[in-house]
Amino acid sequence: MSLHLSIVMPAYNEEECIHEVVDTWVDLLNRQFPSENTRLIVINDGSKDRTGAILDTLKPKYPTKLEVVHTPNGGHGNAVVRGYRHAVALGSEYVFQTDSDDQFVTDDFAKLWAKRHESNFILGYRQIRFDAFARLVITRILKFSLFLIYGTYIKDSNIPFRLINGAYLKKLLEQLPDPTPFAPNIFLAVMARKAGQKTFDIPITHKERLTGTVSILRWKLIKVCIQSFRELAEFRLQLGSKVKALKAVDVKQPVKM
């Protein structure tokens, strides 16, 4: 049975908020899609705290709406891609991705959903962003790096608040470099934009993080920034063929499995 909408949510060490976050997003599915087959897919990325155990206790509460996938720790990017592939395999007509750190509000989902017939790939952007200063600086560097390398300006290319047509996502994943890049969402955004998708860059609310800890800070953040820049530069040589493959596919229908 195919799904109308899947929400993909990676989770790592979010024991303080994961219960509330799951409740909030499942509530959105129940309210906005009462008669549709929808699902929240949480990828527990090898959490070292009680995140996985809490998710397992929530599963009986939402037997048809919540799916929990436990994996060894592979990083946020790998967890996101694993979630995407899982959603595609379930035949999801639409796939929405967000994070589990309780920094976004469900009401903003409607802004992207309203545009779903106008583009196969829609992004939000954090108009006012509550993150550590170092992260804000490096995000800005990456944003201008995209413009320098690809001639593409995307306000928030790595944002975990995006809506993608399921069939189009399947084609994007086929073009994603292997092994999975550190920040695959950036690659997906660049390919979609270059292939002619109007991403919209819709302003959304970003809240201050009140629980958990940021896993990448200071020198580690600089290191992954350099890694991402290198991966993006190397991908420049492949981009033309990837975009050509995407443009050759006319995606109008949901994935049929």
Side-chain angles (χ1 to χ4, degrees):
M1 180 182 297
S2 61
L3 299 173
H4 184 53
L5 169 69
S6 288
I7 297 176
V8 169
M9 179 184 291
Y12 178 73
N13 290 353
E14 298 289 0
E15 64 179 4
E16 295 177 76
C17 68
I18 193 64
H19 194 301
E20 180 181 355
V21 171
V22 168
D23 284 347
T24 300
W25 284 100
V26 172
D27 180 64
L28 176 136
L29 292 177
N30 287 331
R31 285 186 291 104
Q32 189 158 339
F33 308 97
S35 61
E36 298 284 358
N37 191 12
T38 59
R39 193 164 300 175
L40 172 63
I41 303 169
V42 182
I43 308 296
N44 174 36
D45 184 35
S47 295
K48 297 178 181 178
D49 63 3
R50 296 183 58 252
T51 298
I54 293 170
L55 288 168
D56 286 340
T57 64
L58 287 172
K59 177 59 181 171
K61 182 179 178 181
Y62 304 116
T64 63
K65 290 296 183 184
L66 175 62
E67 185 161 350
V68 179
V69 180
H70 298 286
T71 69
N73 180 252
H76 183 275
N78 278 289
V80 168
V81 171
R82 185 183 292 270
Y84 284 155
R85 296 192 189 283
H86 193 78
V88 167
L90 291 174
S92 304
E93 184 178 359
Y94 295 99
V95 178
F96 177 76
Q97 192 259 313
T98 190
D99 274 353
S100 57
D101 53 14
D102 198 27
Q103 288 191 270
F104 298 98
V105 297
T106 57
D107 287 349
D108 284 334
F109 169 81
K111 298 178 183 179
L112 278 65
W113 187 250
K115 299 286 188 182
R116 68 189 183 281
H117 297 306
E118 300 178 51
S119 176
N120 289 319
F121 195 100
I122 304 168
L123 295 175
Y125 85 91
R126 290 162 279 200
Q127 194 171 20
I128 300 176
R129 185 172 175 179
F130 291 92
D131 274 327
F133 178 73
R135 294 177 71 92
L136 297 179
V137 171
I138 291 178
T139 296
R140 179 165 293 186
I141 292 172
L142 282 174
K143 179 164 57 177
F144 286 102
S145 295
L146 288 182
F147 184 76
L148 177 66
I149 297 171
Y150 298 110
T152 299
Y153 182 80
I154 303 175
K155 289 184 178 180
D156 203 348
S157 62
N158 199 33
I159 186 171
F161 206 90
R162 54 187 58 210
L163 179 67
I164 313 171
N165 175 284
Y168 192 73
L169 176 59
K170 181 175 185 292
K171 299 302 177 183
L172 279 172
L173 292 172
E174 290 172 357
Q175 304 305 321
L176 192 67
D178 185 24
T180 301
F182 177 80
N185 269 339
I186 296 178
F187 287 77
L188 299 181
V190 168
M191 287 192 289
R193 178 68 71 86
K194 283 294 188 179
Q197 295 299 315
K198 187 174 182 180
T199 57
F200 289 106
D201 300 318
I202 298 168
I204 62 167
T205 302
H206 189 241
K207 302 187 297 180
E208 185 177 358
R209 187 183 179 100
L210 300 177
T211 61
T213 58
V214 179
S215 59
I216 302 177
L217 282 174
R218 297 180 181 177
W219 290 112
K220 186 177 181 182
L221 187 59
I222 295 174
K223 181 179 179 181
V224 300
C225 182
I226 294 172
Q227 176 185 343
S228 295
F229 184 88
R230 185 180 67 250
E231 290 174 343
L232 287 166
E234 293 172 352
F235 186 64
R236 179 68 181 87
L237 299 175
Q238 308 172 40
L239 183 62
S241 61
K242 304 289 188 180
V243 170
K244 184 177 180 181
L246 288 170
K247 287 183 175 181
V249 179
D250 182 19
V251 174
K252 293 182 180 179
Q253 299 297 325
V255 180
K256 302 295 184 182
M257 303 301 293

